[in-house]
């Protein structure tokens, strides 16, 4: 066998072996090896002490290095597959083009202050404020650009389960809902003072969303709020009066999530009865029921008009619906570890499989090409709708525990963008003067809120 070690290295190895054999009381083996190698009396007790443990130390460090190499190799292969799934042009454009921006590790900020799992996050529509809610009963307001805590908002007596910014134009409010059966409204312009508490649900309120203005026949444009509860109902509230204007019943169990369409015309809800439902917001009637998941549906989301092109191809349509129509496609995420994409009639278009645990939150990329999801497998996954929903990126180390929530920062309105209600703008109109903000926030059972930004 060719000599791999230098004379000195070989000598050290031999002495380590002898010291090892002596330490585990194999004295005759140690003596035989010394005799064979011609190591005489120079190898005394002091020398033996010096070499004792060296062999074990080297052995364990080799194993540790092997693991490190394997981790690096798997990271390398995931980066390589990400490179392979992207075309050279998309690679060169990815960093400059917000429409193809995807989050990457590490997070820009890790926000720490909550004392129990984080359940929800929400971005202020104009300022760089981010609200997070937690099982510790509080809401916290952060400056996501600086990564600093601005204030802690107290008022709920049990876990805060969801929160959302919205309300009448020029009068942004923060809404939160809780296991204490109430919804609370807070005024950001007056140090987040609690201006109203909405009682009415008979069990935990799991989700709350402001309904965008422009809802057909809505009594108070921009003043509506929808909530979902464990009491199996949805309620629509007028935030200016605090009255419940409509109660929607149809789910057979806990309603986990609710999402309004972008013009406020439709509501999408999902829950423990393993169904999602599409409601007409003005009449309160169910337009479609979505059946197919095999476990609780945790989250649901409407696809933006900008993604209709990709989703129409996925659905086998010759041409996409007009961008002015809302609620054409939607997505649901479930404890069955899958995400399903549907059309508004209840037809299943695609099932996205890849998460190793419950899917907890979904958001469509404002550029229209991707769908992002988070789950109890601690990952953020990015699905490319132009490649039949292929998972093109996974952030394995997004959090140290289950990822419970995900939100995308609202776009920046530039210039005098006066868009009439329900009018999305013509094709040559650059998206109503709104530019995409490349910022997402996630919250986790690890007590942290993370901000991923370009």
């Amino acid at each position: 066998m060719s000599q791999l070690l230098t004379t000195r290295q070989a000598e050290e190895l031999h002495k380590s072996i002898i010291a090892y054999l002596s330490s585990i009381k194999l004295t005759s083996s140690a003596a035989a090896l010394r005799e064979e190698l011609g190591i005489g009396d120079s190898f005394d007790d002091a020398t033996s002490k010096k070499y004792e443990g060296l062999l074990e130390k080297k052995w364990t460090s080799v194993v540790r290095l092997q693991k490190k190499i394997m981790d690096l190799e798997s990271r390398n292969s995931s980066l390589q597959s990400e490179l392979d799934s992207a075309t050279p042009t998309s690679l060169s454009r990815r960093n400059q083009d917000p429409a193809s921006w995807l989050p990457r590790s590490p997070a820009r900020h890790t926000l720490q202050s909550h004392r129990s799992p984080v359940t929800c996050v929400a971005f202020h529509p104009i300022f760089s404020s981010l609200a997070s809610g937690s099982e510790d009963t509080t809401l916290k307001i952060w400056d996501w650009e600086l990564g600093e805590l601005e204030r802690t908002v107290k008022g709920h007596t049990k876990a805060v389960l969801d929160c959302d910014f919205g309300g009448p134009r020029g009068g942004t409010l923060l809404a939160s809902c809780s296991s204490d059966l109430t919804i609370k409204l807070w005024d950001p312009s007056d140090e987040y003072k609690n201006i109203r508490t909405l009682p009415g649900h008979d069990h935990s309120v799991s989700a709350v969303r402001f309904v965008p203005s422009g809802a057909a026949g809505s009594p108070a444009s921009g003043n509506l709020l929808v909530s979902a509860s464990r009491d199996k109902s949805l309620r629509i509230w007028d935030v200016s009066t605090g009255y419940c204007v409509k109660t929607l019943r149809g789910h057979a169990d806990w309603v986990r999530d609710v999402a309004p369409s972008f013009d406020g015309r439709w509501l999408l809800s999902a829950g423990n009865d393993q169904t999602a439902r599409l409601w007409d917001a003005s009449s309160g009637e169910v337009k479609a029921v979505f059946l197919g998941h095999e476990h609780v549906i945790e989250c649901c989301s409407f696809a933006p008009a900008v993604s209709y092109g990709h989703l129409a191809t996925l659905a086998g349509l010759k041409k996409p619906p007009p961008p002015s129509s809302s609620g054409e496609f939607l997505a649901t995420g479930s404890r069955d570890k899958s995400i399903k994409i549907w059309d508004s009639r209840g037809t299943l278009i695609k099932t996205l499989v890849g998460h190793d645990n419950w899917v907890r939150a979904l958001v469509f990329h404002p550029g229209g090409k991707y769908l992002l999801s988070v789950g109890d497998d601690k990952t953020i996954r990015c699905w490319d709708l132009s490649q039949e929903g292929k998972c093109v990126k996974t952030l394995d180390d997004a959090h140290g525990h289950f990822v419970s929530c995900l939100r995308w920062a609202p776009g920046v309105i530039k210039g005098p963008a006066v868009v009439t209600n329900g009018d999305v703008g013509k094709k040559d109109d650059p998206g109503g003067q709104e530019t995409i903000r490349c910022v997402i926030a996630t919250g986790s059972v690890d007590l942290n809120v993370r901000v991923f930004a370009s």
Side-chain angles (χ1 to χ4, degrees):
M1 191 180 123
S2 63
Q3 192 68 32
L4 291 174
L5 305 175
T6 63
T7 312
R8 176 151 181 229
Q9 286 173 329
E11 201 174 297
E12 298 237 302
L13 176 63
H14 296 150
K15 287 178 177 174
S16 303
I17 294 169
I18 295 165
Y20 171 71
L21 292 170
S22 304
S23 72
I24 59 166
K25 305 285 187 285
L26 297 175
T27 43
S28 51
S29 301
L33 187 58
R34 271 169 67 173
E35 193 178 320
E36 208 164 308
L37 292 168
I39 300 172
D41 299 334
S42 63
F43 195 84
D44 53 13
D45 287 347
T47 314
S48 180
K49 212 65 187 151
K50 181 183 161 190
Y51 285 99
E52 209 170 282
L54 192 65
L55 204 61
E56 294 98 313
K57 209 176 283 174
K58 296 255 186 194
W59 183 265
T60 52
S61 66
V62 164
V63 171
R64 203 165 55 246
L65 287 168
Q66 275 177 325
K67 186 185 182 308
K68 204 167 186 181
I69 289 165
M70 282 160 72
D71 289 346
L72 287 168
E73 279 175 347
S74 84
R75 176 137 177 75
N76 192 21
S77 73
S78 79
L79 288 170
Q80 188 58 52
S81 70
E82 199 182 312
L83 279 176
D84 295 344
S85 69
T87 59
T89 47
S90 74
L91 274 176
S92 61
R93 282 173 55 225
R94 177 168 290 177
N95 295 335
Q96 300 91 24
D97 181 12
S100 53
W101 178 83
L102 291 174
R104 60 186 326 153
S105 287
R108 186 198 279 187
H109 298 299
T110 296
L111 310 176
Q112 297 176 312
S113 179
H114 281 296
R115 294 178 175 188
S116 292
V118 178
T119 54
C120 55
V121 286
F123 285 96
H124 191 287
I126 301 155
F127 306 124
S128 60
S129 295
L130 174 71
S132 61
S134 160
E135 288 178 17
D136 65 13
T137 77
T138 70
L139 288 147
K140 289 186 186 281
I141 311 298
W142 314 83
D143 184 318
W144 61 259
E145 282 188 333
L146 302 174
E148 290 172 0
L149 178 66
E150 285 183 347
R151 69 174 65 242
T152 299
V153 179
K154 295 179 180 176
H156 284 292
T157 55
K158 286 190 177 173
V160 177
L161 300 180
D162 199 14
C163 61
D164 194 35
F165 280 103
R169 192 169 292 153
T172 300
L173 298 172
L174 172 65
S176 61
C177 61
S178 163
S179 302
D180 66 12
L181 281 53
T182 69
I183 296 158
K184 287 184 182 285
L185 298 173
W186 317 84
D187 186 357
S189 64
D190 189 10
E191 302 193 327
Y192 286 89
K193 200 165 84 185
N194 179 209
I195 55 166
R196 204 165 250 122
T197 297
L198 312 178
H201 278 295
D202 302 324
H203 212 317
S204 299
V205 190
S206 5
V208 67
R209 286 289 181 275
F210 282 95
V211 180
S213 56
S218 69
S221 276
N223 282 341
L224 295 182
L225 181 77
V226 61
S227 58
S229 165
R230 195 173 174 177
D231 67 12
K232 309 177 192 174
S233 76
L234 296 157
R235 283 176 181 254
I236 299 173
W237 310 82
D238 183 335
V239 297
S240 58
T241 62
Y243 291 133
C244 172
V245 294
K246 208 175 260 102
T247 302
L248 309 180
R249 299 186 193 280
H251 279 283
D253 205 334
W254 188 339
V255 191
R256 290 275 177 178
D257 197 17
V258 63
S261 63
F262 303 98
D263 58 0
R265 198 174 154 206
W266 308 104
L267 298 173
L268 175 63
S269 61
N272 283 31
D273 61 7
Q274 302 177 23
T275 73
R277 286 166 191 266
L278 182 65
W279 310 78
D280 183 312
S282 55
S283 70
E285 288 173 11
V286 175
K287 188 193 173 193
V289 179
F290 304 85
L291 300 161
H293 280 294
E294 292 166 11
H295 207 321
V296 169
I297 305 177
E298 284 279 344
C299 50
C300 57
S301 182
F302 279 109
V306 67
S307 66
Y308 288 178
H310 302 302
L311 294 170
T313 307
L314 211 55
L317 301 177
K318 285 195 169 64
K319 64 177 223 186
S324 57
S325 65
S326 69
E328 294 287 346
F329 298 101
L330 50 115
T332 52
S334 165
R335 292 185 185 179
D336 65 13
K337 307 178 194 174
S338 77
I339 296 160
K340 290 184 185 288
I341 298 172
W342 318 77
D343 70 13
S344 58
R345 291 184 301 284
T347 311
L348 178 63
I349 295 168
K350 187 78 184 173
T351 300
L352 308 179
V353 180
H355 277 287
D356 301 328
N357 210 330
W358 297 0
V359 181
R360 296 295 291 273
L362 298 168
V363 66
F364 279 92
H365 193 301
K369 192 182 168 191
Y370 302 102
L371 173 65
L372 277 70
S373 60
V374 297
D376 283 0
D377 58 5
K378 309 176 195 174
T379 69
I380 301 173
R381 288 174 193 263
C382 309
W383 312 84
D384 189 338
L385 304 174
S386 69
Q387 294 190 57
E388 298 201 335
K390 178 181 171 187
C391 182
V392 290
K393 186 168 192 179
T394 304
L395 271 66
D396 286 311
D397 48 356
H399 278 276
H401 210 309
F402 303 159
V403 190
S404 55
C405 49
L406 163 73
R407 291 293 273 272
W408 195 292
V412 187
I413 307 281
K414 293 216 169 137
V418 183
V419 184
T420 54
N421 285 340
D423 188 352
V424 182
K426 296 185 291 295
K427 273 206 172 132
D428 52 4
D429 179 354
Q433 308 283 313
E434 191 171 308
T435 58
I436 295 168
R437 223 181 214 154
C438 302
V439 183
I440 66 162
T442 55
S444 165
V445 174
D446 67 9
L447 318 189
N448 295 335
V449 174
R450 290 217 157 119
V451 176
F452 296 84
S454 60

